[in-house]
Amino acid sequence: MAICAGWPVPGRVCPFAGSDGRGFGVSGSKRFFLVPILLILAVAGLTAYTAFNHLVDLRRGQQDLAHTHEVLDTAQSLFSSLQDAETGQRGFIITGRDEYLDPWRSANQRIPAQISRLRQLVADNPGQIERVGQLQAAASRRMAILDGNLERARRGDDLGVQRNIATGAGKAQMDRVRTLVSEIIAEERRLLASRQATADHNERRSFYLSLGLGGAGLLILAFTVLVMGRSNRHLREALVRRDAAEEARRDAGKLVRAVFENVPDYLYTFDVTPDRRYLIGDFNPALARLLGGDMSPYRGRDIMEAFPVMGARFKALYDQAVDAGKAITVRDTTDVPGVGLITWESTLAPVFDAAGRPVRIVGSSRDITERERAEEQARRSQRMEAVGQLTGGVAHDFNNLLQVIRANLEMIERGIKDARTKARLQNAIHAADRAADLTRQLLAFARRQPLEPVVVNPGRLVSNMAELLRRTLGEGVEVETVIAGGLWNTIADPAQIESALLNLAINARDAMPEGGRLTVELANAALDDRYAARDADITPGQYVLLAVSDTGQGMSRETVARVFEPFFTTKAEGKGTGLGLSMVYGFVKQSKGHIQIYSEPGQGTTVKIYLPRTRKAEPGPAQTEVLAGGRGQTILVVEDEEAVREAACAMLADLGYHCRQADGPEAALKILEDGEPVDLLFTDVIMPGGMKTPVFVKRALELRPSMVVLYTSGYTENAIVHHGRLHEGVSLLSKPYTKADLARKVASSLLAGRETVLLVEDDALVRAAAVEMLAELGFAVLEAGDGPAALALLESGARIDVLFTDIGLPGLRGDELARRARELRADLRIVLASGYSDREAVEGVAGAQALDKPYDSAALARVLGR
């Protein structure tokens, strides 16, 4: 009996027994399991090998995919850069503004690098290398065409630019670029498809090999393929999402940049340091222009260092936003150097990091100065209207009470015989009369006083009051009246005009305790639509201007805003009721006029009253004024308020002048230093900044000694001269002025220094021909169609050296006009023209010269001594 593995096996030999009759044991078991283990290891190895090959193929496919996408992105970016260059060129050609060339400059920098990168990416593909070379040549030719167009545009050769564009060469090169880019992209996509097909083949081979080795390997391989396939899909989806996100980010960036650079509001950012300092970050072009142009040197600087004057105020606002932890809206008024007081409405938003620390301030500000002024004007008008209604009602009821009191006092007085009691009653009646005067002043402010308007010649009225004013104001105040010739009439209550003038004169005297000068001026004026837009109560049209100016203490802006309010006064207690200007205000408004005050502390005050013009009782039909136009002369307008500056240039352009603008003395001097010809400097008298107008004008005349200077101001000419801000003899145009005022003043300023001929001729065609001949002879010419118009010019004080008049004028004959002219100006040269040789008329005017019609330029030159 044999023993097999410990079990008795009768009559048999243990199949696993050795020669010694013992079993294989452990060594035999190892050999038995070795093959399966080796098979399993082989399957595992083959599976691992297959998986490894699959991973290698997958990684290679991913690399090929990334390579293809990089080629596509680079080719598309190159094409976009060429489009950017075209966009920059087009913007510059259309607008002529240099900032539109930024895309072109950026493209010039990017294109060489993009072509170089594209050449590196396709270095293993000869066909692609050839296409990239062709693409580089086409791009270079296209950029050369763009450079040529820009050079022509800079030289002002717009026709050359259009011709070059019309050839189509640029479009042909761009089409060639587009075709080559498309071919490069198509080839890369074909290569990608081929590589993907190879990867798919290898994947199938690995799959069948694994299937042949066994079910386990098949399952493992299938699982691996499934996992890898899913990963591949996820990768493709991730790439698609990445490309879409990148494109969206670029679009969003472009949108944000477009808004940032073009919005009219002021946008800016400040970086916040851990110690709560604010460093200047970014800002949009609108803010850069406001602060003087290039702000690049300020980036990264502490706000306290960059803006030592306004920095503390800005820091307080930013601290407020950071402490609030959210966006805040604030309103602030700042004195910007070179600009003046500006009211801002700002939104400030703090930005915090993940730890909650403030890292940035993002802000936007809007200039609401004009809106604030309009709102303040509306509030002031509403306040004055409300106060007027209140005072009017109180005055009306109080007058009724005074009427009862005074009537009863008078009736009681009749029966009183006791002198002491009667004196007391008379004192009571006098007090009632004074109270009635106060109520009349209140009614005047409320525009409810009974007026008796009639046609008034304000010149005669003021002339008659001149002596009264001198007696009233005393010897310490010098009174001067300036009445323009040809003054219009107005419809108003004469007594109220006298009362208003007297009130203004007394106020002026009180403002000059040490004495001074009072100037009363009368002139014709016109208020246009732009000026009338300031106040709803102003009606555009023609007015008679009464201006009262003093050289007194002046008033602050806050005081000027309240001077018309009843009972408001700056005088000491008992020195005034505060109703004088209120009464003037009410009278002017009730007369459908307008009143305006110009004042500065230490500079004096000018009060302008505009009363509507009337044509009633005029001697003859109104003459239509022909505005004197320019002949292309260059006028340099220097004015700090943009709206006023633009309006002046628009009127000058309509009059035939070439206009240049400057917002202050520094900008004007820069224009003069550049050498551009300027015939006349038209400058505001008072402008913000460190350089005063007299200093600026002196430097301007040093640069251009022959240039004519014309000033403008809200004060009148006489007030400006007597306040000592300008020299005597200056030429000044007071604001507000009309187009006709501007035309006359500019023309007269340009003609200053030339001999002036007053041409009087009723025939328009003859007059036009004579004006042209006189101008060719070098004379300045003033025109009149009849004798009264000529006398008005002679009385106006304008420079006139020669009176050249036709004898046969309608109404007032030319010889009679000449005799009256001699009475006004004894040294006037006189030329009498006639079509019938009226020697007797010529001999009747001493020293007159005769000129027979028709005459030519030579005859005219002889008689005028040319």
Side-chain angles (χ1 to χ4, degrees):
M1 180 179 292
I3 303 300
C4 182
W7 289 92
V9 182
R12 293 186 60 185
V13 178
C14 182
F16 301 106
S19 59
D20 57 357
R22 298 181 59 187
F24 285 106
V26 175
S27 61
S29 298
K30 288 182 179 179
R31 289 194 297 270
F32 180 79
F33 288 105
L34 182 59
V35 173
I37 291 173
L38 291 176
L39 290 175
I40 292 173
L41 291 175
V43 171
L46 290 173
T47 303
Y49 173 77
T50 305
F52 175 77
N53 285 340
H54 180 74
L55 288 173
V56 170
D57 292 339
L58 179 60
R59 187 173 293 109
R60 186 181 297 113
Q62 291 172 346
Q63 291 173 350
D64 293 339
L65 178 62
H67 177 273
T68 299
H69 277 292
E70 187 174 3
V71 172
L72 298 181
D73 287 344
T74 304
Q76 290 171 344
S77 297
L78 174 60
F79 185 73
S80 297
S81 296
L82 288 169
Q83 288 181 319
D84 288 346
E86 284 191 332
T87 300
Q89 174 217 233
R90 190 178 301 113
F92 178 77
I93 290 173
I94 292 174
T95 66
R97 294 171 58 181
D98 189 69
E99 58 264 34
Y100 280 88
L101 286 178
D102 289 344
W104 173 80
R105 296 189 184 100
S106 178
N108 261 333
Q109 295 175 357
R110 295 195 307 267
I111 287 173
Q114 291 168 338
I115 291 177
S116 176
R117 180 56 182 161
L118 194 59
R119 187 179 295 276
Q120 292 175 2
L121 291 172
V122 300
D124 59 343
N125 190 325
Q128 290 288 70
I129 291 176
E130 182 179 357
R131 293 185 186 93
V132 170
Q134 295 174 1
L135 177 60
Q136 181 178 6
S140 298
R141 288 192 292 271
R142 180 52 183 150
M143 291 303 294
I145 292 172
L146 292 179
D147 292 343
N149 285 342
L150 288 176
E151 183 61 24
R152 295 183 183 91
R154 288 191 178 100
R155 295 197 307 265
D157 186 11
D158 294 338
L159 182 59
V161 172
Q162 297 299 324
R163 286 176 177 171
N164 196 36
I165 293 174
T167 63
K171 181 178 182 304
Q173 292 303 321
M174 201 63 188
D175 290 342
R176 177 60 177 164
V177 169
R178 185 180 289 105
T179 300
L180 290 170
V181 169
S182 299
E183 290 176 359
I184 291 171
I185 291 173
E187 175 62 16
E188 285 298 318
R189 287 176 174 164
R190 186 192 65 76
L191 290 173
L192 179 63
S194 175
R195 291 165 182 160
Q196 188 63 45
T198 302
D200 292 342
H201 172 73
N202 292 336
E203 186 175 305
R204 286 194 299 274
R205 184 184 60 188
S206 299
F207 174 76
Y208 290 129
L209 179 62
S210 299
L211 182 63
L213 293 174
L218 178 61
L219 291 176
I220 295 173
L221 183 60
F223 179 75
T224 302
V225 171
L226 178 62
V227 171
M228 297 305 294
R230 182 176 297 175
S231 299
N232 198 25
R233 286 195 302 273
H234 289 168
L235 178 60
R236 289 193 182 96
E237 292 172 358
L239 289 174
V240 171
R241 288 195 298 270
R242 185 202 67 182
D243 292 343
E246 182 66 19
E247 184 65 26
R249 186 190 64 79
R250 284 196 295 266
D251 291 343
K254 291 178 182 177
L255 178 61
V256 171
R257 178 53 58 181
V259 172
F260 188 78
E261 291 182 351
N262 295 287
V263 69
D265 289 348
Y266 307 122
L267 307 180
Y268 45 87
T269 64
F270 289 93
D271 296 328
V272 184
T273 65
D275 58 347
R276 195 66 80 82
R277 292 185 301 116
Y278 300 97
L279 308 182
I280 299 173
D282 204 359
F283 38 82
N284 69 338
L287 182 57
R289 286 193 297 271
L290 176 71
L291 298 178
D294 184 17
M295 292 290 291
S296 301
Y298 289 90
R299 282 193 174 94
R301 294 178 61 186
D302 190 317
I303 191 173
M304 297 296 291
E305 174 193 349
F307 303 106
V309 177
M310 300 180 289
R313 177 178 295 181
F314 291 159
K315 185 178 186 305
L317 294 176
Y318 303 152
D319 284 341
Q320 183 181 348
V322 171
D323 293 338
K326 60 181 181 180
I328 63 171
T329 299
V330 296
R331 183 174 295 188
D332 187 36
T333 299
T334 306
D335 191 358
V336 178
V339 179
L341 286 175
I342 295 181
T343 301
W344 312 88
E345 187 174 72
S346 304
T347 299
L348 304 173
V351 180
F352 299 89
D353 61 12
R357 293 186 296 267
V359 295
R360 187 170 291 107
I361 290 285
V362 178
S364 69
S365 298
R366 177 170 297 177
D367 184 351
I368 59 170
T369 308
E370 290 300 325
R371 190 180 80 188
E372 282 285 294
R373 289 174 182 169
E375 291 175 355
E376 177 60 28
Q377 184 64 40
R379 287 193 294 269
R380 187 182 304 169
S381 298
Q382 291 171 358
R383 183 172 66 249
M384 296 293 280
E385 186 66 28
V387 173
Q389 293 176 358
L390 175 63
T391 55
V394 170
H396 178 268
D397 293 341
F398 195 49
N399 269 343
N400 290 338
L401 296 175
L402 287 174
Q403 176 62 35
V404 174
I405 293 171
R406 198 182 190 290
N408 282 281
L409 288 174
E410 285 185 353
M411 288 186 291
I412 292 173
E413 184 187 19
R414 295 173 187 171
I416 296 298
K417 302 300 182 182
D418 180 60
R420 187 175 180 183
T421 303
K422 193 167 186 175
R424 290 177 177 175
L425 285 173
Q426 288 175 347
N427 289 337
I429 293 173
H430 178 67
D433 290 338
R434 290 187 60 191
D437 289 337
L438 287 175
T439 57
R440 276 193 293 273
Q441 290 177 319
L442 289 173
L443 285 173
F445 170 75
R447 312 180 206 179
R448 297 181 183 179
Q449 63 178 331
L451 298 180
E452 297 180 4
V454 296
V455 177
V456 178
N457 184 327
R460 175 184 51 79
L461 201 65
V462 170
S463 296
N464 293 339
M465 286 191 66
E467 188 58 34
L468 172 63
L469 291 175
R470 291 185 178 91
R471 290 197 306 270
T472 302
L473 302 182
E475 297 180 355
V477 177
E478 182 182 352
V479 179
E480 180 183 11
T481 59
V482 181
I483 302 175
L487 192 66
W488 296 328
N489 291 338
T490 185
I491 293 182
D493 189 327
Q496 292 299 326
I497 295 178
E498 294 175 348
S499 177
L501 179 56
L502 192 58
N503 266 302
L504 295 176
I506 292 173
N507 282 343
R509 179 200 62 190
D510 294 342
M512 299 182 290
E514 304 298 328
R517 178 187 292 269
L518 177 75
T519 305
V520 181
E521 300 175 73
L522 280 167
N524 299 330
L527 301 180
D528 57 15
D529 293 332
R530 182 184 295 273
Y531 185 83
R534 300 182 181 183
D535 194 327
D537 290 341
I538 303 175
T539 301
Q542 294 178 322
Y543 291 82
V544 176
L545 168 62
L546 169 62
V548 179
S549 304
D550 64 66
T551 58
Q553 300 165 346
M555 294 179 286
S556 66
R557 185 175 301 180
E558 293 75 15
T559 302
V560 170
R562 298 190 59 194
V563 291
F564 295 131
E565 295 179 7
F567 305 113
F568 175 79
T569 180
T570 58
K571 300 175 183 178
E573 185 176 353
K575 295 294 184 179
T577 63
L579 289 174
L581 284 176
S582 301
M583 183 192 71
V584 175
Y585 175 87
F587 153 67
V588 172
K589 292 296 184 181
Q590 193 172 357
S591 301
K592 303 186 186 309
H594 170 59
I595 185 170
Q596 183 69 38
I597 291 185
Y598 299 90
S599 185
E600 291 184 18
Q603 300 293 336
T605 301
T606 292
V607 180
K608 292 184 176 182
I609 295 176
Y610 297 86
L611 296 174
R613 175 193 181 181
T614 180
R615 298 181 182 274
K616 293 183 179 180
E618 282 193 65
Q623 298 292 322
T624 301
E625 181 181 19
V626 179
L627 300 184
R631 298 182 178 179
Q633 298 98 322
T634 299
I635 313 295
L636 175 56
V637 178
V638 186
E639 168 66 54
D640 59 295
E641 290 191 19
E642 183 178 3
V644 177
R645 190 170 66 247
E646 292 287 350
C649 275
M651 289 189 287
L652 288 168
D654 287 344
L655 292 168
Y657 297 102
H658 172 62
C659 183
R660 287 297 309 274
Q661 299 185 39
D663 59 0
E666 290 80 6
L669 291 174
K670 180 66 170 62
I671 292 174
L672 295 173
E673 289 168 355
D674 289 343
E676 182 170 343
V678 174
D679 300 289
L680 183 141
L681 175 64
F682 183 37
T683 177
D684 195 6
V685 173
I686 299 174
M687 288 183 290
M691 186 181 298
K692 299 300 182 183
T693 300
V695 177
F696 155 60
V697 172
K698 180 180 178 182
R699 291 181 57 184
L701 291 176
E702 288 174 356
L703 294 170
R704 304 292 176 85
S706 62
M707 182 174 60
V708 180
V709 181
L710 172 60
Y711 296 91
T712 183
S713 174
Y715 293 86
T716 63
E717 179 173 0
N718 291 278
I720 285 286
V721 172
H722 297 141
H723 290 166
R725 276 170 282 178
L726 296 176
H727 299 294
E728 296 282 356
V730 299
S731 183
L732 183 135
L733 179 60
S734 294
K735 300 176 182 177
Y737 51 80
T738 65
K739 183 177 179 181
D741 298 331
L742 184 62
R744 286 192 295 266
K745 205 70 177 181
V746 170
S748 63
S749 298
L750 288 172
L751 294 175
R754 295 165 58 187
E755 282 192 291
T756 303
V757 176
L758 173 56
L759 173 63
V760 189
E761 173 62 62
D762 60 310
D763 189 309
L765 294 176
V766 175
R767 187 167 68 247
V771 167
E772 186 172 354
M773 286 189 286
L774 289 167
E776 289 177 352
L777 291 173
F779 290 98
V781 184
L782 297 176
E783 301 177 48
D786 55 25
L791 287 174
L793 287 171
L794 288 164
E795 293 171 350
S796 69
R799 174 177 177 175
I800 298 175
D801 303 288
V802 180
L803 173 64
F804 178 29
T805 177
D806 185 31
I807 294 177
L809 295 174
L812 183 64
R813 281 173 51 88
D815 52 339
E816 178 60 24
L817 169 63
R819 282 188 286 272
R820 294 175 62 176
R822 271 283 169 75
E823 294 174 1
L824 295 171
R825 304 193 182 191
D827 57 344
L828 193 66
R829 294 164 53 195
I830 296 175
V831 176
L832 297 174
S834 173
Y836 46 85
S837 299
D838 193 349
R839 298 297 176 185
E840 181 178 352
V842 174
E843 292 171 358
V845 180
Q849 294 179 280
L851 180 63
D852 293 335
K853 293 183 178 179
Y855 52 83
D856 56 13
S857 296
L860 187 58
R862 283 193 299 272
V863 76
L864 292 175
R866 294 295 177 93

